[in-house]
Structure formats: structure tokens, C-alpha cells
Amino acid sequence: MGVTAEKDELIENGLSSQEAARLAAEGKINGDTDTPTKSVSEIIRSNVFTFFNFVNVVLGVLVLLTGSFKNCLFLGVIICNTVIGIVQEIRAKKTIDKLSLISAPKVTVLRDGRSVQITMEEIVLGDVVLLSSGRQICADCVLLQGECEVNESLITGESDPVLKQEGDELLSGSFVVSGHVKAQVVRVGQDNFASKITSGAKYIKKKNSVMLKSLDRIIKVIAVCIVPMAVGLFINSILLSGQSLDRAVVSTVAALIGMIPEGLYLLASVVMAVSVLRLASHKTLAQDMYCSETLARVDTLCLDKTGTITEGIMQVEDTRLLKDDFPLDRAMEAFASCMSDDNPTMNAVKDRWSGGNASALFTCPFSSARKWSGAGFEKGCVILGAPEFVLKENYPLVKEQCEAAQSEGVRVLLAAYSENRLAGHELPEGIVPAALIFIGDIIRKEAPQTLEFFEKQGVDIKIISGDNPVTVSRIAGRAGVKNAEMAVDASLLSVDEIDEAVKKYSVFGRVTPDKKLAIVKALKKQGHTVGMTGDGVNDVLALKEADCSIAMQSGSDAARSVSNLVLLDSNFASMPKIVAEGRRSVNNIQRSGTLFLTKTIYSFLLALIFVFLPLPYPFQPIQLTLISVTTIGIPGFFLALEPNTDIIKGSFIRNIFKLAFPRGAAVAFCAIASVLVSEYTDLPMDGMSTLTFYTVAAVGFFALFRIMKPMKAWKAGLLAALIAVFAGASLAAPSVFGLKPIGLYSVIAAVIIFVGGAVVMLLLEKAAEPIINFLAKAADVIRKIFHKFLGFIKKGQQDA
């Protein structure tokens, strides 16, 4: 008796202001559920204080100490790289900080017996919340009074409203579809269902860029080599070559900065930034600069049914009269005009039979428990609902027709009438089945063509939905999904069984948020690059885990916030354009990257040789800057913006190394040959540097010509302009670049060396594949020996 009175008191008056204040002081308040991300200062520090920047700054300081300011131009690229990195990460932070699954700005609660509007952050544990149709549930509650229907599609993925009665739980993030109830808050803050999903998605995902990872691997190799090479070159310059201290520092720095492909980092950043702008023209928002690259590499694409292959709304597909003289259209127009239900099924009915203006004596709204709705008129009533619930024991009369339609993924409604009046929530006597109405999801008109595109590209499609697996399977089949009949109810799968299920099935139904996450993780564990589309809260965790996530603009704020790409027109047909953009970026950066890696290779080879060769290093940093700008930097950026939709094949680093190695080796050959010729003809150091400068530039332009193939008019014009810029700069300001006039014999020698370098390049291009295969096998053997050696040492330590 006391418990009942206490409950009635709570329902009537809610919490008192004093009690609410006490609970808030105890921390039992909804509060700010945001998970902290990196601060702006932390982002700046992490981008500024990197090994890459440290090496370049040290080299720049050493050059500045010699007073050779012109040789510090390479630091400009470093500054640009750092600024772009900071801007991108701050942008990601702002996106994450906005993440919220609850969008209701105000909540109505009972305090001191009065209805009070508060913000969702002010809700305390035990508050009585007033909920009505259209309201979002802002904290997990238990229903105290009344009954309502709740749309949990954003939570579970199931589109049908769920009936909630006294004692049932209402989850935060869902919406009240119909009814007016009072519910008590049982969880607040981070304990809420929605907050748990939010916190699970609130982390800044590492950039999943193969290009960046490849560049990082190159930097790591250089990092291992750069210090001993610097020491060796400096000692060589002072002790063996007899150079001055200033010249030794400048030449050593020239050798080292050539090894670092800083321009390739900037190229990748700029090209991907341009890609973001191109995607915007296709009504696609890229929230991660490298996401189009990742999507272009995706081999498994997980699609949510609703909003992706369907439009998220339903339509009446067909009707079948069970009573020939029943005026279906007139009856349904009258029925639809009277009903206030707002759910996908009723909206489909209203859309098909609009224009009626009848008035009903009594209406009974749809209920998940009853599975029917009705409207009573002066001459009887019209009933619309699930056939088995409306006909009950007479259901076998239409069972065969209903099950045949349901097996095709179509929802079946029965339109019936009775000459008796409808009063209350009970079916009248004398119900006559009049017609079957078949309602189905509307397949996006562009979905079949888009799915066919991915199938031709070798991308495996997985449909993941919270709806019935049979329904999802049939809809997927209608949309053109390959192996759509291979469907499974994910609610029956354990976490351990999911690993095998993702290999076997193409369609997953009844999938909870945790199961969606498990499916994506299982696919990634099997070595797949996974793309994921979604629009609801139930998709958030899986979207965050996927290598590339795509959300629809029409979906939830949470889905958009965690996704790499947002389709602003919610049009699945944009996907092939995004893939094409990613391919253009990757293929062109791969080609332009060949130019940048060429410099790294020949700088590495020259540094390695001149550590042991008792001769001065032939370059100054300013000379390498001009060669790099005209043969690598400017053409690299132009080539990286050319249209290119070829399928991405092979390893990024292997592909560019295969093209860069012959060119780098040819340049190194020309540089060494120039130094040896200069030494033999007793050319002074400046003359040697000038001869080497021109031969290396010449073979660099020849390499550029080879990479530009197939040659087009604009490419020929660009090549001619670059040669003109190089010639003009070197002839107009020879003192700036440390150049001296050379004699006729040196010019002849330069031509012969250039021809020799071109021949070396052509020969190595043919031999590049077997050489790289040999080097890869050798590296693998060395790695295995090294790991065995480490194991041997560890075993010895354990035995000791």
C-alpha cells in the first residue's frame, strides 16, 4: 500500500526542487556526457614536434650557422606540411566534439507538481519526464503511466514502432511516435544507452591511408641511415676531400635533405585537399582528407538497407480484391482521411489514397499490440491491419496468398469492413475480408546500377540491417545484390560465430549495434578493407570502426559526425564518383611520387658512395632546390591533377619504387660520372659542381619525359616551359646557384654522360621487376634472421 501511494505521489508531483538540487549536488545528473578529445595545444605539439620536422630544422640551423641563407629554402615545404596537418586534425577534433546522439534541446519534467522545461543536461536521476508524440527520449526511463509507441529505428535499426506499456524501459535516443506518458529516469550521464554508444565512438581514428603509411616507412628507413651517413659525409669532406668547414656543412646538408621526400608529403596533402573540393562538387562532404583514397581501396562494402538501397519510405505496390464488389479506392480514401497515425505503413496508405475528406464517428489508432487500426462511420466501419490479427481463426482463408507475398519481402495488410459500428479498442462483430494491400520498401532507382558497378569492381557487398532477415534478403535481391539469398538472423549468432558467418552470408538481419561492430571487426581481421554506409545511431559504432564510413545527410547527427564521407543529397549513386575521385588521386600521386622518390634514391645512393669516395660531394642545397622544383615539384603537382580512373593495383610503395629506382640510379650514375670526369680533367670544385648540376638536370628532364607518357599537348607545353624556366634561372643568376662557366670539352662530356645516363635508365626499367623481387626477398630473409637473432638473445637472457 505504501509503495503504491509513493508511486502515485511521484506520478502526480514528480521530484521536489530541493530533492532535484540534492541529486544534482551528488553528481546524479545527466550533465555533459562529452568524452574529452585532444586539446588544440596538444594537436599543435604533436604535429610540430615530429622526427621529420626535427631532422629538417637541425639541417636548416646548420646551414644558417654557415651564413648560407639561400640554401634554407627547403624549410618552406616543412612549414606547409605542418600547417596542413594541424588544420586537418583540428577540423577532426571539432567534428568529434559535436558528436551527440541526443538532439532534443528541451525536456519537460514534473517538479513540485508543475510541468517545467529544462535542458537535457539538467535531468537528474529519478526525474519524472512527460513524453508525447514526436518527443525524443533524452535519458533511459521506465514507463510509469500510460502507453505509447516508440520508434527505436535509430537504436536497433528496426523500422516498426514498438508498443511500450507500464514497466517497460524507454531507451535514450529513440522517439515517441504516439501516446502521452509519464516515465521515470533510471540512468543519467555516461550510463545512458545513447551515451555508451557515443563514448564508444568518441575517439579520433588514425588516418587509414596506405600512401601515408608508405611514406612513413620510407622516413623510418631514412631515419636509420641518416645519422651515420651524416657523420661519414662530414668526416669525408673535412679529412679526405679537404673542404672548408662551411663547404663541408653545406654539402653534407645537401646530401641529407635530398634523401627526405618532403615534397611528396606536401604533394599528397595538396592533391587530397583538391580531391575534397572535387567531391564537394558531387554533393559529398569529405570529413577526412584521405577518405576517398581508402574508399578506392575498399574490397568489402557493408550497406544498411534503409536509406541506402531503399529510400526509407514505403509504398503500396499492389492490391488484390477478396470481395469483387468492394469499392476499395473509395473506402480507403475515406479511411485515410480520418486517421492521424504517422508511421511508414500508414503514410504509404495515405500517399496512395489521398484526396478523401470523410469524417469518422470514431477512430482507433494503430497499436503494436493490436496490429490494426480502424475508422467508424454511420454505416459501419473500415479496418486495416495484419491479416492474422484481424481475421483470427479465419486467417487460413488468406494465409497462402499472404505468405507468398511475405516470402518476397512485401508487407501484407488486410482491408476489411463490418456493418457494425466501431466503438472502443475491440474488433466489431461480422468482419468481412475485402482486399489485400501489399506494401513494400521503395528501392532507390539508382541502387541497382550502383551495386552493379561495385560488383564489376570486385567489391563484395554485405547488407546489414536491423529488420527481418527474410525481408532484407528479398529487398536486397530486388536491388540486385549478388547472393542475396544467403541471409542469416544475426541475433542467433554468437560473437565467435560471426567470424565464419561473414565469409558465408551476404545479408544479415536483426543486427544490433554491437553485432554490426563485430561484423566490421571480423571482416577487417580477415584482411579486408571495409567500407560502411549508415544513417542511424545503431550504425555509429560500426561506422567509426570501418576503414571508410559513409553517412547519408538525411540520417542522424551522430552518423554524420563519425563518418568520413557524408552524401549531402543522400544519393547512393554518388559512390562511383567518389571511388573514381579516389582512384584519380591515388594513381596520380603514385605517378608523381615516382618523381619525388627518384630524388630520394639518387640522394641515398650518392650519399652512400661519397661516404667512401675521397671526393667532394658535388651539390649545394640551392642547386638541388632548382633541379627539384623544375623536374619534380611543379610537374608532380600538375600530373597529380590529371583524370585517371584506373583500378588501383599492387602495393603503393612497390609501384613507385619500381618506376623510381631506374631513374634514381641513372641520376646517380650521371652525378658520379661527372665528378670522376671533373677529377680527371682537374676542374675546380665549382666547375665540377656546375657540370654535375647540368648532367643531373638533363637526365631528370628525360625521366620526366618518360613519366609524362602518353604525351599530350598540355604535357609537351609544360615540359617545354619547365626547361625554359630551368635554363632561364641558371643562366640569369649563375652566382645564386653557385654555377661557373665550363669549357667546350666539359660540354661534350656532359652530353656523353647524359646519353649514358639515359641508356642506364632504359636498361634498368626492363630489369626493375626482377631486381625489386630480389631485394624484397633479400629484405625478408634479413628480417627473419634478425627476428631469430633477437629470439636467441632473449632465450639466452632467460636461461641466465
Side-chain angles (χ1 to χ4, degrees):
M1 187 73 176
V3 174
T4 302
E6 186 177 332
K7 180 181 177 182
D8 291 342
E9 171 70 18
L10 184 66
I11 293 172
E12 185 67 27
N13 298 312
L15 297 179
S16 66
S17 300
Q18 293 82 2
E19 193 172 6
R22 177 181 61 79
L23 289 166
E26 292 175 359
K28 298 176 180 178
I29 189 169
N30 223 29
D32 185 2
T33 59
D34 285 347
T35 302
T37 55
K38 287 169 69 175
S39 66
V40 173
S41 60
E42 287 174 330
I43 290 172
I44 293 173
R45 283 198 301 271
S46 65
N47 280 275
V48 171
F49 299 107
T50 64
F51 177 79
F52 179 80
N53 288 352
F54 171 74
V55 170
N56 281 279
V57 169
V58 169
L59 296 178
V61 170
L62 290 174
V63 173
L64 285 172
L65 291 176
T66 68
S68 182
F69 301 107
K70 66 183 182 181
N71 284 307
C72 292
L73 288 176
F74 66 91
L75 290 176
V77 176
I78 311 307
I79 294 170
C80 290
N81 280 337
T82 303
V83 170
I84 289 173
I86 291 171
V87 170
Q88 286 299 316
E89 196 163 345
I90 289 176
R91 183 182 175 190
K93 168 188 166 57
K94 288 181 178 178
T95 300
I96 296 299
D97 288 345
K98 289 182 198 172
L99 176 58
S100 176
L101 303 190
I102 309 296
S103 58
K106 294 288 184 180
V107 184
T108 304
V109 298
L110 272 180
R111 296 269 177 92
D112 300 316
R114 293 182 295 108
S115 298
V116 180
Q117 277 202 334
I118 61 174
T119 64
M120 69 176 190
E121 290 84 4
E122 296 173 310
I123 296 174
V124 298
L125 188 67
D127 253 328
V128 175
V129 185
L130 305 181
L131 298 170
S132 57
S133 179
R135 290 282 186 175
Q136 187 175 21
I137 299 165
C138 300
D140 294 353
C141 306
V142 169
L143 204 155
L144 293 178
Q145 185 183 69
E147 67 176 43
C148 64
E149 289 186 314
V150 176
N151 183 339
E152 295 182 339
S153 61
L154 291 180
I155 300 296
T156 64
E158 295 189 46
S159 55
D160 289 335
V162 180
L163 177 67
K164 300 290 184 178
Q165 297 175 318
E166 290 185 17
D168 288 343
E169 191 171 37
L170 309 177
L171 294 177
S172 54
S174 52
F175 289 85
V176 176
V177 176
S178 64
H180 185 96
V181 299
K182 293 181 180 180
Q184 185 175 23
V185 174
V186 293
R187 283 186 288 276
V188 291
Q190 294 289 354
D191 294 329
N192 274 320
F193 181 84
S195 296
K196 287 179 180 178
I197 295 181
T198 308
S199 60
K202 279 203 167 186
Y203 59 91
I204 296 180
K205 186 166 60 177
K206 291 182 179 179
K207 293 183 179 69
N208 188 26
S209 169
V210 174
M211 291 187 297
L212 284 183
K213 289 177 182 176
S214 299
L215 293 176
D216 288 340
R217 286 174 63 187
I218 293 171
I219 291 296
K220 287 177 182 177
V221 172
I222 292 171
V224 173
C225 303
I226 202 167
V227 174
M229 280 192 173
V231 173
L233 283 168
F234 186 76
I235 293 173
N236 180 304
S237 300
I238 296 292
L239 299 181
L240 301 179
S241 302
Q243 299 179 47
S244 65
L245 178 62
D246 287 355
R247 175 75 189 193
V249 170
V250 171
S251 62
T252 300
V253 170
L256 299 180
I257 63 170
M259 292 169 56
I260 303 172
E262 73 280 354
L264 186 51
Y265 270 94
L266 182 58
L267 171 76
S269 298
V270 171
V271 170
M272 298 314 295
V274 171
S275 176
V276 169
L277 297 177
R278 288 177 182 268
L279 289 175
S281 68
H282 297 311
K283 297 183 180 178
T284 301
L285 171 65
Q287 303 194 119
D288 169 11
M289 197 161 64
Y290 293 89
C291 56
S292 62
E293 175 211 346
T294 309
L295 182 60
R297 297 180 185 277
V298 161
D299 59 31
T300 304
L301 188 59
C302 299
L303 303 177
D304 185 28
K305 172 183 71 71
T306 306
T308 302
I309 61 175
T310 67
E311 293 188 1
I313 56 177
M314 307 188 83
Q315 67 178 358
V316 175
E317 295 186 349
D318 197 8
T319 60
R320 186 173 302 160
L321 287 177
L322 300 174
K323 195 172 189 313
D324 293 338
D325 59 349
F326 181 71
L328 179 63
D329 290 337
R330 196 173 69 205
M332 293 309 299
E333 284 178 5
F335 174 83
S337 66
C338 299
M339 303 305 296
S340 60
D341 289 341
D342 183 18
N343 57 59
T345 302
M346 185 55 70
N347 289 337
V349 170
K350 290 179 179 180
D351 186 59
R352 171 66 179 270
W353 289 289
S354 59
N357 58 359
S359 58
L361 299 176
F362 180 81
T363 60
C364 182
F366 179 83
S367 161
S368 297
R370 293 188 301 270
K371 298 289 186 183
W372 59 268
S373 56
F377 304 95
E378 289 185 2
K379 295 183 179 180
C381 63
V382 176
I383 306 294
L384 183 70
E388 62 270 38
F389 283 81
V390 176
L391 293 180
K392 296 182 180 177
E393 65 273 6
N394 293 323
Y395 175 60
L397 296 174
V398 296
K399 181 179 179 180
E400 186 176 341
Q401 297 179 67
C402 292
E403 290 182 349
Q406 288 166 349
S407 68
E408 296 299 321
V410 177
R411 184 172 299 180
V412 182
L413 295 179
L414 174 72
Y417 71 92
S418 172
E419 293 182 353
N420 297 311
R421 287 198 172 188
L422 178 67
H425 298 287
E426 298 295 330
L427 287 168
E429 296 291 332
I431 288 180
V432 179
L436 293 177
I437 299 172
F438 304 106
I439 295 179
D441 287 277
I442 299 178
I443 303 292
R444 287 182 175 272
K445 60 182 180 181
E446 69 276 1
Q449 185 177 355
T450 306
L451 291 169
E452 183 182 5
F453 165 81
F454 282 111
E455 183 181 341
K456 288 181 179 178
Q457 302 303 314
V459 177
D460 188 24
I461 300 293
K462 304 287 185 186
I463 305 298
I464 304 175
S465 174
D467 284 336
N468 184 290
V470 175
T471 302
V472 178
S473 173
R474 299 302 181 185
I475 292 172
R478 287 165 53 201
V481 175
K482 188 178 179 181
N483 299 323
E485 70 281 359
M486 299 300 293
V488 64
D489 188 334
S491 65
L492 305 178
L493 297 174
S494 67
V495 175
D496 294 335
E497 292 172 326
I498 286 178
D499 285 351
E500 286 301 317
V502 295
K503 297 177 185 177
K504 182 178 179 181
Y505 297 103
S506 296
V507 175
F508 295 81
R510 304 290 187 206
V511 187
T512 61
D514 288 341
K515 289 285 178 66
K516 284 193 178 187
L517 176 62
I519 289 170
V520 172
K521 283 184 174 180
L523 289 167
K524 289 177 67 176
K525 189 166 68 175
Q526 292 170 14
H528 295 289
T529 303
V530 182
M532 169 85 189
T533 70
D535 59 359
V537 172
N538 60 310
D539 301 317
V540 166
L541 295 177
L543 286 169
K544 191 72 177 188
E545 180 65 25
D547 294 302
C548 184
S549 49
I550 305 102
M552 304 293 169
Q553 176 65 18
S554 57
S556 68
D557 289 341
R560 293 196 301 270
S561 295
V562 301
S563 294
N564 303 113
L565 291 160
V566 180
L567 305 183
L568 298 178
D569 57 357
S570 300
N571 190 349
F572 186 48
S574 300
M575 296 284 282
K577 297 175 185 176
I578 300 171
V579 172
E581 183 58 39
R583 287 178 179 171
R584 183 198 62 79
S585 300
V586 175
N587 288 325
N588 287 339
I589 291 175
Q590 193 166 266
R591 181 171 57 178
S592 298
T594 300
L595 295 170
F596 288 91
L597 197 60
T598 295
K599 187 184 75 165
T600 298
I601 290 172
Y602 74 67
S603 297
F604 182 86
L605 292 174
L606 289 176
L608 184 64
I609 291 169
F610 278 96
V611 165
F612 303 102
L613 199 65
L615 294 172
Y617 192 81
F619 293 115
Q620 296 180 42
I622 190 66
Q623 293 172 338
L624 282 177
T625 299
L626 180 59
I627 294 173
S628 297
V629 167
T630 52
T631 66
I632 296 174
I634 294 175
F637 281 102
F638 275 97
L639 292 175
L641 299 176
E642 185 183 12
N644 189 330
T645 57
D646 295 339
I647 295 176
I648 299 171
K649 296 179 181 178
S651 160
F652 177 82
I653 193 168
R654 186 185 180 92
N655 288 342
I656 61 174
F657 192 80
K658 182 173 66 176
L659 295 173
F661 177 73
R663 292 158 176 77
V667 172
F669 167 84
C670 289
I672 295 167
S674 299
V675 172
L676 292 175
V677 167
S678 301
E679 188 71 14
Y680 178 75
T681 56
D682 293 326
L683 269 178
M685 188 175 295
D686 288 339
M688 176 203 68
S689 183
T690 302
L691 176 62
T692 310
F693 172 77
Y694 282 118
T695 54
V696 165
V699 80
F701 279 115
F702 180 68
L704 177 59
F705 169 76
R706 300 280 298 164
I707 288 175
M708 280 184 165
K709 288 186 174 182
M711 189 62 68
K712 298 178 181 178
W714 72 267
K715 292 181 183 178
L718 175 63
L719 183 59
L722 291 169
I723 293 173
V725 168
F726 172 83
S730 58
L731 295 175
S735 59
V736 173
F737 298 100
L739 303 176
K740 297 293 182 182
I742 56 176
L744 177 61
Y745 290 114
S746 294
V747 173
I748 294 172
V751 172
I752 294 172
I753 291 170
F754 163 71
V755 173
V759 171
V760 168
M761 185 188 301
L762 296 174
L763 291 175
L764 286 178
E765 282 179 357
K766 294 182 179 180
E769 189 71 35
I771 290 174
I772 290 174
N773 289 338
F774 171 77
L775 291 175
K777 289 178 181 177
D780 190 50
V781 170
I782 293 171
R783 186 164 48 249
K784 288 179 180 178
I785 293 172
F786 180 70
H787 284 306
K788 285 184 179 179
F789 177 69
L790 287 179
F792 178 75
I793 291 176
K794 287 181 180 178
K795 188 175 185 302
Q797 290 174 341
Q798 291 172 353
D799 292 342

